[in-house]
Amino acid sequence: MIKIDIANALMASYPCSRATALQCVDLLTERMKQALLDGHRIEIRGFGVFEPRPRKRGMGRNIKTGTTVEIPKGKSIRFKPGKDLRDIDME
Amino acid sequence: MIKIDIANALMASYPCSRATALQCVDLLTERMKQALLDGHRIEIRGFGVFEPRPRKRGMGRNIKTGTTVEIPKGKSIRFKPGKDLRDIDME
DNA sequence: GTTGGCGATGTCGATCTTGATCATGGAAAG
DNA sequence: CTTTCCATGATCAAGATCGACATCGCCAAC
């Protein structure tokens, strides 16, 4: 599923042009992205929680060099699936 | 940031009632949730990728019992931040 | 059709995950 | 807007998983 599919889902419930639907999706993702970059946690009950976390790890590995490289950045976004998404049964 | 904040952001760009904005957000999250439960990967360039992954682990630990408990489930949703969200500098 | 974000690879250690419970607060109803 | 409801956070331990880097191919986005 890509952005267009989400837009189509929106169009199905709220009749509007595809361009409008895409802009809507883009707007929401952009807002969420900005909020995360701003360090805010996004919590959507029943879906999940996006949370910016400081990364404590400080090392990685480079294939070609084979040496341990330091990880300069110290943040990452963690997504914690909500109740509905955690209740997945393996098929 | 919670659902209402996202709805407000939508209302700011697309004048509509709060109820409509909330329904819109709820609709999108619901669609994404269903897609994930259906095993589909959701890829939004520049934001991130939601991907259902089979969990290979099969054990954990329970505090109260203090015993090793088996993890029955074998799936979880992984969110991989896109380029814009990975480029976070620690403040 | 063109651009460029994203996946996979390999290593190795820090991180995450699962479960149950109480408290907090997101979410929905009056 | 206020109140109620129930999902979510933290916790403990052990073990599996993720992550970063660089590059090419692929596909999302324009």
Side-chain angles (χ1 to χ4, degrees):
Chain A
M1 170 180 270
I2 56 183
K3 195 183 294 185
I4 297 175
D5 296 311
I6 302 177
N8 285 332
L10 178 61
M11 293 167 63
S13 297
Y14 292 94
C16 60
S17 67
R18 174 171 294 175
T20 300
L22 281 172
Q23 286 176 42
C24 177
V25 175
D26 203 49
L27 171 68
L28 295 184
T29 55
E30 187 67 20
R31 287 293 305 173
M32 292 172 69
K33 186 165 62 180
Q34 289 305 318
L36 291 173
L37 288 174
D38 196 39
H40 296 306
R41 194 182 69 157
I42 301 179
E43 181 170 343
I44 306 295
R45 283 293 172 85
F47 180 68
V49 179
F50 294 89
E51 184 176 26
R53 288 211 317 99
R55 178 161 309 161
K56 297 153 194 169
R57 295 182 302 183
M59 48 70 63
R61 190 120 185 166
N62 191 321
I63 297 181
K64 65 174 187 177
T65 62
T67 44
T68 307
V69 291
E70 323 169 33
I71 298 177
K73 302 302 178 54
K75 261 191 180 179
S76 65
I77 304 296
R78 177 198 172 198
F79 173 69
K80 182 183 300 187
K83 184 190 177 189
D84 296 347
L85 285 178
R86 280 182 310 213
D87 189 35
I88 302 178
D89 186 43
M90 59 173 111
E91 71 261 15
Chain B
M1 168 180 268
I2 56 182
K3 195 183 293 184
I4 297 175
D5 297 309
I6 302 177
N8 286 333
L10 179 61
M11 291 166 65
S13 297
Y14 292 95
C16 59
S17 67
R18 175 171 294 174
T20 301
L22 281 172
Q23 287 175 42
C24 177
V25 176
D26 203 49
L27 171 68
L28 295 184
T29 55
E30 187 67 21
R31 288 292 306 174
M32 293 171 68
K33 187 166 63 180
Q34 289 305 319
L36 290 172
L37 289 173
D38 196 38
H40 296 305
R41 194 182 69 158
I42 300 179
E43 181 170 342
I44 307 295
R45 283 294 171 87
F47 181 68
V49 178
F50 295 87
E51 183 176 26
R53 290 213 314 85
R55 175 156 312 161
K56 298 150 192 169
R57 295 181 302 181
M59 48 71 61
R61 189 121 186 164
N62 192 319
I63 297 181
K64 65 174 189 179
T65 63
T67 44
T68 306
V69 292
E70 323 168 32
I71 298 178
K73 303 300 179 56
K75 259 192 183 180
S76 66
I77 304 296
R78 178 198 171 197
F79 172 69
K80 183 182 299 187
K83 184 191 178 189
D84 297 346
L85 286 178
R86 280 182 311 211
D87 189 35
I88 303 177
D89 186 42
M90 59 174 111
E91 69 261 19

